[in-house]
Amino acid sequence: MNRRLMRSVGAFVASTVLWCTASSPQAQEARPKPNILFIVSDDTGYGDLGPYGGGEGRGMPTPNIDRLADEGMTFFSFYAQPSCTPGRAAMQTGRIPNRSGMTTVAFQGQGGGLPAAEWTLASVLKRGGYQTYFTGKWHLGEADYALPNAQGYDEMKYVGLYHLNAYTYADPTWFPDMDAETRALFQKVTKGSLSGKAGGEVTEDFKINGQYVDTPVIDGKPGVVGIPFFDGYVEKAAIEFLDAAAKKPDQPFFINVNFMKVHQPNLPAPEFQHKSLSKSKYADSVVELDTRIGRILDKLRETGMDKNTLVFYTTDNGAWQDVYPDAGYTPFRGTKGTVREGGNRVPAIAFWPGKIQPGSRSHDVVGGLDLMATFASAAGVPLPDRDREDKPIIFDSYDMTPVLLGTGESARKNWFYFTENELTPGAARVGHYKAVFNLRGDNGQATGGLAVDTNLGWKGAQSYVAIVPQVFDLWQDPQERYDVFMNNYTEHTWSLVSISAAIKDLMKTYVEYPPRKLQSMGYDGPIELSKYQMLQSVREQFEKEGVRLAMPTGN
């Protein structure tokens, strides 16, 4: 298993171990398995939170997240994926999103989602005897096989399937210009909050819309809850779960809490309106997020379960800077949807009493992909070498427990950056050098993080360099402003030797472990007549499936 994993990510040393830095099986059985509380927010900027220079200095105090950092470990080179669905898929599966086909998500009503064959954090931890629970934003599809209760979670409660904008589509106050037929379509296909247990039916708790309304039940039937109130239900579900778990101290649990905040449109709950220093909707929403996280952590401490619980907080992707002012802040170049640091480097904090040194800080290159191997290692569960349909599978996940425990550095030496349709990465980091091949989002004045309005994310066209990529030293130039591939100060053409080797090793894995079919595809250019005539496979696709041009989802 380890050899297969090391081949997949081009490991540099034979001692790389992705899941088993834990102690011996005998010692593992002698102590109780740790509980795991995994909290994910949405579109939160690297510079929004107090531990990263934000918080009060950004007009949005984050005392609870600050305390989490004071009592745990803050990561400064932690990577996600550039948008919601691939970011969440990578964390759930421990695999780069193109392997699972989860590079983007279908529009509501189009079905599809996370393939049934994929392992998730929950389905792996269940092999170790864990009780598993999911609440909040899923965004990994709406087909029955793709829902949390079919993907290893014993229970799903108050689950939202989409990004927040999707819940406003059928609302005439948001889009008065929408024609009646299209509005009726969205009203029909958009699912609201869902709850259910593994092996059972999923029921709709209530509809979700973009209004300040909180009526979950109307005349004894499912009602309507507005976006401002939804995260309150997520908090409620998490606290109720922790109360119940406290009554079963011998049962280890894994709970994944996913807040909708702070994805646009940011509509803070009434009690948080104008509670930030800056009084803006985004800042109020960050204060709400921090408060709800604090309440969950307070419940964990109140029950005493914190003493044996690994808490991990992060977000799904880089800040969506190009929707200012309803967006987060990052000091890095680029935005959500690009392979720049601004679209991929995110906040992350871990807390584990007696294991993680309080107030510790890590600059190791790690990321959401590594949560799979890390949680499995902490739980004493080996990673599978075959998928849930008994076919060979490979993970792109490194065990971070040596970093968490202070016993060693991260075994990861590289990071690959992908946008939606890329098999070869659009950028790659090895050590502290980064090569950028896809210049997407830079179709304006390329002045780095100082020109947010020109960093257009996925609104910008893909643009690949010819032969020579841009190369940046992320230690001296984390904003990616000075290309050092070759200039009159010094040239770093040699850096491409190790970067190219890492990419080559990655590409080899696709032969033995082919990526799954994309779950949703956007428009990436015209299908040309010459290609149609040359490729029989395209004609066969037309005969079987027709032409599918999905609308951009804005995920």
Side-chain angles (χ1 to χ4, degrees):
M1 178 59 192
N2 287 343
R3 290 194 300 273
R4 191 174 292 123
L5 287 172
M6 286 189 287
R7 288 202 306 271
S8 76
V9 289
F12 286 83
V13 292
S15 60
T16 298
V17 178
L18 301 188
W19 55 264
C20 59
T21 59
S23 53
S24 67
Q26 294 83 0
Q28 188 69 39
E29 293 175 1
R31 66 173 186 266
K33 295 176 181 288
N35 304 311
I36 301 174
L37 168 57
F38 180 33
I39 302 174
V40 182
S41 60
D42 201 320
D43 286 8
T44 309
Y46 186 96
D48 288 342
L49 310 178
Y52 295 88
E56 185 175 350
R58 289 260 295 123
M60 49 187 86
T62 55
N64 296 291
I65 293 175
D66 294 355
R67 178 182 176 184
L68 188 67
D70 289 342
E71 297 178 350
M73 174 176 286
T74 304
F75 293 89
F76 291 90
S77 292
F78 191 92
Y79 287 93
Q81 304 297 316
S83 63
C84 298
T85 291
R88 293 168 188 275
M91 289 188 285
Q92 288 291 336
T93 66
R95 285 154 50 82
I96 55 179
N98 60 29
R99 295 196 193 279
S100 62
M102 296 301 294
T103 61
T104 185
V105 72
F107 236 84
Q108 62 258 46
Q110 292 183 316
L114 188 64
E118 289 290 326
W119 289 100
T120 64
L121 296 171
S123 55
V124 167
L125 290 174
K126 279 194 66 62
R127 290 158 60 100
Y130 276 70
Q131 179 185 4
T132 56
Y133 188 92
F134 187 96
T135 181
K137 178 175 177 177
W138 179 240
H139 211 191
L140 294 176
E142 60 182 3
D144 290 344
Y145 64 80
L147 299 182
N149 71 324
Q151 290 284 351
Y153 288 94
D154 295 321
E155 184 173 2
M156 53 184 275
K157 186 71 172 178
Y158 301 129
V159 172
L161 297 185
Y162 321 111
H163 56 86
L164 282 182
N165 307 83
Y167 295 104
T168 68
Y169 292 158
D171 191 331
T173 63
W174 280 81
F175 302 105
D177 58 331
M178 184 182 292
D179 64 273
E181 184 178 354
T182 303
R183 191 183 314 283
L185 170 65
F186 281 125
Q187 289 173 339
K188 178 181 179 181
V189 302
T190 303
K191 299 178 182 178
S193 170
L194 302 179
S195 294
K197 295 184 178 181
E201 293 186 3
V202 173
T203 59
E204 188 173 52
D205 308 303
F206 46 75
K207 293 291 185 181
I208 304 172
N209 69 10
Q211 304 300 318
Y212 273 84
V213 57
D214 188 14
T215 55
V217 179
I218 300 177
D219 296 331
K221 299 179 181 179
V224 180
V225 171
I227 288 172
F229 297 92
F230 184 75
D231 276 349
Y233 287 86
V234 176
E235 175 196 321
K236 176 176 178 288
I239 289 176
E240 289 177 350
F241 174 84
L242 292 177
D243 274 329
K247 299 175 183 177
K248 300 180 291 183
D250 296 329
Q251 170 70 64
F253 65 76
F254 167 61
I255 175 173
N256 188 188
V257 181
N258 295 260
F259 289 108
M260 292 286 195
K261 294 292 188 302
V262 281
H263 191 292
Q264 67 157 334
N266 276 289
L267 302 175
E271 64 267 33
F272 295 101
Q273 288 182 301
H274 296 166
K275 289 299 188 290
S276 66
L277 298 176
S278 72
K279 315 301 181 189
S280 70
K281 290 182 178 180
Y282 184 85
D284 291 346
S285 296
V286 170
V287 170
E288 177 182 345
L289 171 67
D290 177 79
T291 302
R292 297 197 187 284
I293 289 175
R295 290 171 182 168
I296 293 172
L297 295 177
D298 286 345
K299 173 58 67 173
L300 187 70
R301 297 179 183 108
E302 174 190 315
T303 61
M305 294 187 296
D306 62 310
K307 298 177 178 59
N308 188 40
T309 299
L310 167 58
V311 178
F312 204 99
Y313 161 75
T314 189
T315 191
D316 54 355
N317 49 253
W320 200 347
Q321 295 193 91
D322 56 9
V323 290
Y324 176 86
D326 199 19
Y329 165 76
T330 170
F332 305 117
R333 180 175 182 170
T335 183
K336 176 180 177 179
T338 72
V339 296
R340 298 296 187 182
E341 293 297 285
N344 295 268
R345 203 187 297 201
V346 298
I349 302 169
F351 167 71
W352 196 0
K355 303 289 186 180
I356 294 176
Q357 183 69 28
S360 52
R361 298 152 68 91
S362 172
H363 293 275
D364 288 57
V365 176
V366 290
L369 285 169
D370 299 324
L371 295 173
M372 173 65 86
T374 302
F375 291 170
S377 173
V381 181
L383 286 182
D385 59 5
R386 304 188 75 80
D387 69 16
R388 295 171 73 188
E389 294 180 348
D390 201 33
K391 296 179 181 179
I393 192 171
I394 194 170
F395 293 90
D396 303 285
S397 192
Y398 283 91
D399 181 8
M400 293 188 293
T401 55
V403 179
L404 297 177
L405 304 179
T407 60
E409 297 180 349
S410 171
R412 177 182 289 285
K413 303 302 178 185
N414 53 48
W415 188 265
F416 301 116
Y417 308 68
F418 297 91
T419 54
E420 289 85 353
N421 202 28
E422 291 177 328
L423 192 61
T424 302
R429 174 178 179 171
V430 173
H432 59 98
Y433 286 103
K434 177 181 180 180
V436 177
F437 303 93
N438 183 358
L439 309 183
R440 179 181 182 176
D442 282 346
N443 56 325
Q445 186 177 357
T447 53
L450 302 181
V452 170
D453 60 324
T454 65
N455 295 324
L456 297 180
W458 52 59
K459 290 187 291 184
Q462 291 182 339
S463 176
Y464 292 92
V465 296
I467 303 176
V468 178
Q470 295 178 344
V471 174
F472 301 96
D473 181 344
L474 293 181
W475 280 354
Q476 297 190 74
D477 178 28
Q479 280 194 326
E480 300 171 83
R481 298 178 67 188
Y482 304 100
D483 181 0
V484 296
F485 182 83
M486 184 174 290
N487 58 33
N488 58 8
Y489 167 67
T490 184
E491 57 92 5
H492 285 74
T493 55
W494 55 266
S495 62
L496 282 186
V497 174
S498 56
I499 292 174
S500 297
I503 294 174
K504 182 179 179 181
D505 287 341
L506 170 69
M507 299 305 291
K508 288 178 180 178
T509 68
Y510 295 134
V511 177
E512 188 174 358
Y513 307 95
R516 303 191 195 278
K517 179 181 178 181
L518 288 179
Q519 296 303 297
S520 179
M521 288 186 65
Y523 183 68
D524 58 357
I527 300 175
E528 298 172 353
L529 179 60
S530 59
K531 293 180 180 178
Y532 169 77
Q533 294 173 336
M534 290 172 60
L535 301 175
Q536 180 66 29
S537 61
V538 173
R539 292 198 292 271
E540 293 174 349
Q541 177 185 337
F542 283 176
E543 292 174 1
K544 294 178 181 178
E545 303 180 11
V547 178
R548 294 182 302 138
L549 298 180
M551 291 181 287
T553 63
N555 63 337

